[in-house]
């Protein structure tokens, strides 16, 4: 556990996959800690948390989940059992959480969706297998307290940060942004198009970065990696990165229709493991859909296969 400014504590938990760790934060408040994010629900999650919380001292008043990805929501139910504190989660994010983790048919939905975007059958099976790796380690809290952007939790304002996850919420107080996976220091947060996600996640993300630049927090405490000393500068860098990727996507398009799966090879190379390919296809599609919205690309779909050309 690390002690940060303003009495904030950071608890770093291991992740079995890259980037190998996730940060969670304990925010001090009059009624106790607001615990932001939970780590993956590994079999020893409860014991790990019991030890960390004993070291922190005091009670946990609230467990807050920034978004429904495994490393953030996975141990929410364990923490509720351990602390009896209410779990608070964004309404949109909880709806997607249930849709993905509470739904035994989700793997089928993913399979159909990769197929729709041009992945061959053998590859699709591998991609789906990858998406189930974390499933046994997700113990999200059913019926949490639902919140909306603009509301506050123990004096922290909830700021919408869509893109990496549609319903992701950051927390802002005293110029400190608890950034979840909205801003990361050295890693570029993944922004992908997934089944049942909003239509233009990259457009959402670029706008959310504009909002970060406007808010100009002094420091951002992210879900992975070091604190970010110049959040607005980092937001501009990430916008620049995606503008460049949009140009590269334009270059990869021509007058012959190509699928998101095919185009992911032009943009991310041929040398990817299934886990990498999953994200590559989803990222390629979020860039293609941004281009469709900007008028740089055209989408064709016959209900069997979706493809894209230059406009
Ligand atoms: Zn994360």
């Amino acid at each position: 556990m690390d002690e940060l400014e303003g009495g904030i504590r950071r608890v770093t938990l291991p992740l079995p996959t890259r980037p190998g760790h996730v940060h969670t934060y304990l925010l001090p408040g009059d009624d106790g800690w607001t615990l932001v994010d939970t780590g993956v629900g590994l079999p020893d999650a409860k014991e790990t948390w019991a030890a960390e919380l004993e070291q922190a001292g005091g009670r946990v008043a609230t467990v807050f989940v920034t978004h429904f990805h495994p490393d953030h929501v996975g141990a929410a139910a364990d923490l509720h059992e351990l602390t009896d504190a209410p779990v608070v989660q964004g309404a949109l994010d909880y709806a997607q959480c249930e849709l993905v983790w509470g739904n035994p048919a989700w793997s089928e939905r993913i399979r159909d969706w990769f197929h729709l975007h041009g992945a061959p059958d053998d590859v699709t099976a591998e991609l789906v297998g990858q998406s189930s790796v974390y499933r046994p380690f997700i113990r999200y809290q059913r019926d949490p307290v639902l919140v909306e952007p603009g509301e506050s939790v123990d004096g922290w304002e909830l700021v919408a940060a869509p893109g990496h996850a549609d319903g992701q919420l950051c927390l802002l107080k005293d110029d400190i942004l608890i950034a979840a996976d909205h801003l990361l220091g050295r890693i570029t947060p993944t922004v992908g198009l997934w089944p049942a996600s909003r239509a233009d996640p990259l457009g959402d993300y670029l706008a959310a970065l504009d909002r970060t630049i406007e808010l100009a927090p002094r420091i951002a405490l992210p879900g992975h990696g070091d604190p970010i000393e110049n959040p607005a500068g980092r937001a501009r860098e990430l916008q620049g990165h995606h503008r460049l990727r949009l140009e590269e996507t334009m270059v990869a398009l021509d007058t012959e229709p190509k699928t998101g799966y095919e185009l992911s090879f032009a943009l991310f190379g041929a040398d990817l493991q299934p886990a990498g390919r999953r994200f590559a296809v989803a990222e390629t599609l979020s860039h293609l859909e941004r281009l469709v919205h900007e008028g740089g690309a055209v989408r064709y779909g016959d209900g069997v296969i979706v493809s894209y050309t230059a406009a």
Side-chain angles (χ1 to χ4, degrees):
M1 178 176 308
D2 304 300
E3 201 159 341
L4 310 179
E5 65 174 284
I8 296 172
R9 308 285 179 92
R10 183 176 71 183
V11 176
T12 303
L13 298 165
L15 270 191
T17 54
R18 283 202 307 166
H21 74 275
V22 59
H23 296 311
T24 65
Y25 295 93
L26 289 162
L27 313 177
D30 294 341
D31 299 331
W33 300 107
T34 293
L35 197 170
V36 181
D37 287 340
T38 71
V40 178
L42 298 171
D44 62 352
K46 230 181 190 173
E47 289 77 59
T48 303
W49 269 116
E52 293 290 347
L53 293 175
E54 193 181 317
Q55 198 189 329
R59 68 187 280 267
V60 172
T62 304
V63 175
F64 184 81
V65 172
T66 60
H67 65 296
F68 73 95
H69 294 170
D71 45 337
H72 300 261
V73 77
D78 302 73
L79 273 161
H80 176 66
E81 285 168 23
L82 192 64
T83 64
D84 216 25
V87 174
V88 176
Q89 191 170 359
L92 171 60
D93 189 66
Y94 182 67
Q96 296 195 340
C97 185
E98 281 221 294
L99 191 69
V100 173
W101 304 123
N103 174 4
W106 184 251
S107 295
E108 242 163 82
R109 184 100 184 255
I110 289 269
R111 187 194 59 208
D112 294 349
W113 186 82
F114 276 114
H115 192 249
L116 182 69
H117 290 290
D121 287 341
D122 54 330
V123 176
T124 308
E126 271 186 315
L127 297 177
V128 171
Q130 271 302 319
S131 77
S132 331
V133 168
Y134 273 111
R135 202 163 265 278
F137 307 111
I138 314 285
R139 289 193 294 278
Y140 68 92
Q141 178 62 33
R142 287 183 197 263
D143 303 317
V145 178
L146 299 178
V147 287
E148 297 288 345
E151 292 179 18
S152 61
V153 169
D154 199 24
W156 291 78
E157 185 195 341
L158 303 180
V159 180
H164 177 70
D166 291 334
Q168 180 174 245
L169 295 174
C170 298
L171 300 95
L172 180 69
K173 189 169 101 173
D174 297 336
D175 284 337
I176 300 174
L177 184 74
I178 309 296
D181 292 353
H182 172 57
L183 284 187
L184 300 175
R186 250 170 269 170
I187 318 164
T188 306
T190 60
V191 177
L193 184 80
W194 300 99
S197 75
R198 282 166 50 86
D200 178 18
L202 184 56
D204 291 342
Y205 186 52
L206 294 172
L209 290 172
D210 274 337
R211 174 97 171 107
T212 307
I213 293 165
E214 246 172 64
L215 289 169
R218 183 170 44 80
I219 190 165
L221 304 178
H224 311 272
D226 293 330
I228 298 158
E229 304 284 348
N230 177 4
R234 181 61 182 145
R236 276 191 213 96
E237 252 172 44
L238 289 165
Q239 288 181 325
H241 163 83
H242 285 294
R243 293 222 176 83
L244 201 68
R245 292 300 272 166
L246 284 167
E247 280 168 33
E248 290 168 357
T249 309
M250 283 283 271
V251 170
L253 287 167
D254 59 41
T255 51
E256 280 296 307
K258 291 180 184 168
T259 64
Y261 179 75
E262 279 176 89
L263 287 161
S264 78
F265 284 79
L267 290 163
F268 289 87
D271 213 17
L272 282 180
Q273 298 297 311
R277 182 62 57 198
R278 271 183 84 225
F279 283 103
V281 173
E283 285 256 354
T284 299
L285 289 168
S286 73
H287 287 74
L288 288 164
E289 286 299 318
R290 179 87 285 262
L291 288 176
V292 169
H293 280 81
E294 287 177 0
V298 180
R299 179 195 330 110
Y300 299 87
D302 54 11
V304 180
I305 298 288
V306 173
S307 58
Y308 297 84
T309 65

